[in-house]
Amino acid sequence: MTVLESMAPPTGGRFGDFGGRYVPESLVPACAALETAFREAWADATFHERLAELRSVYAGRPTALTPATTLSADLGITLMLKREDLAHTGSHKINNVLGQALLAQRMGKTRLIAETGAGQHGVATATAAALFGMRATIYMGERDMARQRLNVFRMELLGAEVIPVTAGSRTLKDATNEAMRGWVAAVEEAHFCLGSTAGPHPYPWLVRQFQRVIGEEARAQAAVQPDVVVACVGGGSNAAGTFAGFADTRARLVGVEAAGGAAMTHGRPGIVHGYRSMLLQDDQGQILEAESISAGLDYPGIGPEHAHLGATGRAEYATVTDDEAVAALGRLARAEGIICALESAHAVAWVLRAAGTPELPAGSTVLLTLSGRGDKDMATLAGVTE
Amino acid sequence: MKRLYPYLTGGITEDWTDYLLAYQEAGADAIEIGLPFSDPMLDGTTIQQASDRALRRGATVDAILADLAAVRDRITVPLFAMTYANLVFSDGPEVFCRRLAEAGVSGLIVPDVPVDEADGLSAAAEAAGVDLVLLAAPVTPPERLAEIAARSRGFVYAVSVLGTTGERDELAGTAAPLAARIKAVTDLPVLIGFGISRPEHATTAARAGDGVVVASALMRRVLDGATPGELLDDVAALRAAVDQADQEVPADHAHAEVSGDRG
Ligand SMILES: Cc1ncc(COP(=O)(O)O)c(C=O)c1O
């Protein structure tokens, strides 16, 4: 993919019927300025050089593509793992954050505001803020703070301010509302470093562009082109970044949602957090609270590009329960010596369930993005398995 | 005549329409009715709590509109609904606007539908005879401001501050300059809202624009259990504060014209 081709923006900020910029007037100029800055940066070779350098000397990219030999033999497929768990800070979230921090610096912003669910995006943002000498304010639901305490500690150690959000379900949905409120009040000095392919235009597009490094690396690393490409989906950034590398191939693209946060499977179109997409909501249009063991997938929406990929049939979306995810995490750990994040375990669980069925016939080659490592989830798992 | 548009979250209590009647009796020129949404992105804690309380009581758009229809013949002032995009688009903007009109609601304010996303909604509102009010913010650039003013109906809502709704100690310094900029490009009334917390704020803001919207300061009282009679006194005090600005109309005009020349 050349720089020029990859610049193509979604028309009017839309992916088919989805996307848009449904934000208060106070945020419209900031979104427009961010779009302009991103277009300029993305067309600027110097920006790409700086990003490439940060990726290699700081974030540890390229991340490995690991053949999952034991599982492959057990399941009768060829399974390759794209190892975002090996990236600095322990997940793919750093890819997006380094790009946005560079952009924020280019725009003269001195502060980063972010929402976080599992805490991985918050940690990545706090990390970039430390690296770039910026202030970081991270909004996190109280419930997520309790189940991801280690990540709260990491963020604070990195010098970020973590603000507990007590409204609603006290998870990612509410943290996102509060981060947007914080941004409205600080829009002139702060950059909203959104953590997934959600939110108002240009975020879903911009975040996917910063995450496409996952798919592009994987495509170059894979000795055999995959028949199926699979990734877990919360807001959808690791999946969108992975899919971007294979969109023009014949590979099936499979996004895996948490059964309790399955916007594609159980939602209908709606508008929240600045964008139109598939959303869990009641018949009145009130947004429902998601319910997943994995904080990063505990979200009632999904990025608009996924809604579009689903509507056009280019990608498929499946769901995995908490129990399946926990079991998959353990099986991967014992088979391959890799403890992945609970989020990523949803993708693993789908492969375990589908392998050998018509959904994923024996002999298939599968590329799976392991979006992060499981350290943050040890307390949750200890609670589950006790 | 300077205007006073007080706000009430629909369905906040069982007999919430009594507050409407009190507002009207106290001299409201129009009333803004919040249709509660689960994720009110532009609201501070007071309106969030009011929305939560109403939703927990089981308030729905249908129930609120039905309550309104029941008191419709006793309400003579215009009613504006204020809510978020997802409720408006849930059954489609045509259906939504028609339901508003049938319940006697003549205006609509949707803070997360900026002018760029408003085409479908403004057509639906116009067809139903509902005024779609657009909002302008202190950061809105001049060309955009002109477009917002041209496409707004009923009035133009000047968001006084970069921030959410919620009470503030001082009226934001950005309020008066924004009102002047809007007045320079439209003949529609310009109402200033967000953070009008005390009668003094209302006087100052009404001087700069054509009137004020007051929400959180009243809803905090309602949340604290104040009765419709007590709210009548609060709104009457705001009425007097707004009227005080009226007595200085000529000076206000001169100010607006000077500012308008600059903008
Ligand atoms: C490890 C990991 N994977 C996946 C996700 C889900 O996000 P997305 O769908 O944007 O990749 C998160 C979010 O917190 C995460 O921490």
Side-chain angles (χ1 to χ4, degrees), chain B:
Chain B
M1 252 285 278
K2 299 290 183 177
R3 303 164 187 231
L4 172 63
Y5 291 12
Y7 167 101
L8 185 72
T9 300
I12 180 84
T13 58
E14 167 101 45
D15 47 6
W16 67 276
T17 51
D18 290 350
Y19 289 104
L20 292 187
L21 297 167
Y23 283 10
Q24 173 173 279
E25 197 183 329
D29 296 300
I31 301 173
E32 240 185 65
I33 297 171
L35 303 176
F37 178 52
S38 53
D39 293 77
M41 186 221 281
L42 197 58
D43 285 306
T45 38
T46 304
I47 308 284
Q48 285 177 49
Q49 281 168 11
S51 303
D52 278 353
R53 185 181 293 185
L55 289 173
R56 273 200 310 272
R57 277 196 62 252
T60 60
V61 172
D62 279 339
I64 290 168
L65 295 182
D67 288 347
L68 276 181
V71 291
R72 188 60 209 144
D73 54 353
R74 295 159 65 196
I75 294 188
T76 52
V77 298
L79 301 177
F80 291 84
M82 177 146 182
T83 194
Y84 285 85
N86 201 47
L87 296 190
V88 174
F89 286 91
S90 188
D91 293 325
E94 296 79 11
V95 174
F96 185 85
C97 291
R98 220 178 304 127
R99 282 156 73 200
L100 290 184
E102 281 162 15
V105 176
S106 58
L108 175 61
I109 304 161
V110 193
D112 59 345
V113 179
V115 65
D116 330 74
E117 299 286 0
D119 286 355
L121 178 55
S122 55
E126 191 164 334
V130 169
D131 286 333
L132 181 68
V133 177
L134 299 179
L135 300 89
V139 289
T140 304
E143 262 176 46
R144 223 183 128 75
L145 193 77
E147 190 194 351
I148 289 169
R151 295 191 53 190
S152 193
R153 296 288 175 268
F155 64 94
V156 181
Y157 197 131
V159 176
S160 74
V161 66
L162 282 176
T164 61
T165 59
E167 289 174 89
R168 288 177 175 78
D169 290 338
E170 312 255 340
L171 180 68
T174 38
L178 174 62
R181 286 175 60 210
I182 305 173
K183 288 190 71 63
V185 294
T186 184
D187 293 330
L188 284 177
V190 176
L191 275 278
I192 300 180
F194 283 50
I196 313 279
S197 314
R198 301 182 185 155
E200 312 88 88
H201 302 169
T203 307
T204 314
R207 222 174 258 150
D210 297 298
V212 296
V213 178
V214 183
S216 298
L218 296 172
M219 289 316 296
R220 181 181 43 78
R221 296 269 292 145
V222 174
L223 284 169
D224 288 348
T227 62
E230 288 168 315
L231 265 291
L232 191 150
D233 294 341
D234 291 0
V235 174
L238 290 168
R239 176 78 260 169
V242 167
D243 288 345
Q244 200 182 322
D246 235 352
Q247 274 123 48
E248 304 149 23
V249 162
D252 173 58
H253 267 195
H255 171 73
E257 270 158 26
V258 170
S259 308
D261 285 347
R262 265 190 279 128

Side-chain angles (χ1 to χ4, degrees), chain A residues 90-93 116-121 172 195-197 232-239 295-297 341 343-344 371-373 376:
Chain A
S91 84
H92 69 293
K93 298 286 181 185
T116 196
Q120 289 301 102
H121 174 59
L172 180 55
S196 192
T197 43
C232 69
V233 180
S237 69
N238 87 88
L297 306 186
E343 290 78 14
S344 325
S371 55
R373 63 180 180 230
K376 68 184 176 54

Side-chain angles (χ1 to χ4, degrees), chain A residues 235-287:
Chain A
S237 69
N238 87 88
T242 305
F243 293 175
F246 298 91
D248 62 342
T249 72
R250 297 168 53 137
R252 276 172 61 204
L253 307 175
V254 180
V256 186
E257 298 183 283
M264 279 304 275
T265 313
H266 302 305
R268 65 184 172 93
I271 297 166
V272 78
H273 298 154
Y275 66 103
R276 180 173 194 275
S277 189
M278 301 298 280
L279 269 183
L280 295 179
Q281 54 188 314
D282 68 15
D283 56 1
Q284 296 284 323
Q286 305 295 348
I287 310 302

Side-chain angles (χ1 to χ4, degrees), chain A residues 50-310:
Chain A
R50 290 195 62 198
L51 185 56
E53 187 184 357
L54 279 176
R55 282 170 175 168
S56 78
V57 305
Y58 186 70
R61 300 206 74 88
T63 56
L65 186 72
T66 303
T69 43
T70 306
L71 277 183
S72 294
D74 288 356
L75 299 170
I77 60 173
T78 303
L79 176 61
M80 301 176 280
L81 304 174
K82 180 59 177 163
R83 300 286 307 281
E84 295 304 296
D85 59 311
L86 296 177
H88 181 44
T89 69
S91 84
H92 69 293
K93 298 286 181 185
I94 194 74
N95 305 332
N96 167 43
V97 160
L98 289 177
Q100 288 202 41
L102 272 178
L103 260 187
Q105 192 183 50
R106 215 179 145 99
M107 296 172 76
K109 305 287 181 180
T110 54
R111 187 176 153 210
L112 301 178
I113 291 177
E115 82 298 345
T116 196
Q120 289 301 102
H121 174 59
V123 167
T125 303
T127 298
L131 179 67
F132 282 78
M134 293 180 184
R135 267 178 70 206
T137 309
I138 316 291
Y139 293 89
M140 189 169 188
E142 249 187 354
R143 176 154 178 244
D144 289 338
M145 286 180 73
R147 58 181 162 170
Q148 305 286 350
R149 207 170 307 134
L150 211 57
N151 273 344
V152 177
F153 185 72
R154 290 168 81 195
M155 286 183 262
E156 287 174 346
L157 192 65
L158 288 158
E161 181 190 12
V162 182
I163 299 186
V165 177
T166 56
S169 53
R170 295 172 294 126
T171 61
L172 180 55
K173 163 176 98 83
D174 311 284
T176 307
N177 287 328
E178 206 55 34
M180 294 189 88
R181 291 180 188 122
W183 188 31
V184 174
V187 68
E188 286 167 316
E189 86 263 11
H191 169 69
F192 180 27
C193 186
L194 209 155
S196 192
T197 43
H201 178 59
Y203 285 102
W205 167 53
L206 172 160
V207 175
R208 182 252 278 158
Q209 294 298 71
F210 286 138
Q211 290 292 5
R212 63 186 305 142
V213 64
I214 305 174
E216 283 167 3
E217 279 179 13
R219 183 162 177 181
Q221 289 166 318
V224 189
Q225 285 310 305
D227 304 310
V228 181
V229 173
V230 53
C232 69
V233 180
S237 69
N238 87 88
T242 305
F243 293 175
F246 298 91
D248 62 342
T249 72
R250 297 168 53 137
R252 276 172 61 204
L253 307 175
V254 180
V256 186
E257 298 183 283
M264 279 304 275
T265 313
H266 302 305
R268 65 184 172 93
I271 297 166
V272 78
H273 298 154
Y275 66 103
R276 180 173 194 275
S277 189
M278 301 298 280
L279 269 183
L280 295 179
Q281 54 188 314
D282 68 15
D283 56 1
Q284 296 284 323
Q286 305 295 348
I287 310 302
L288 295 173
E289 295 174 3
E291 187 60 64
S292 167
I293 190 171
S294 105
L297 306 186
D298 204 352
Y299 179 67
I302 183 171
E305 186 170 20
H306 288 290
H308 179 57
L309 290 173

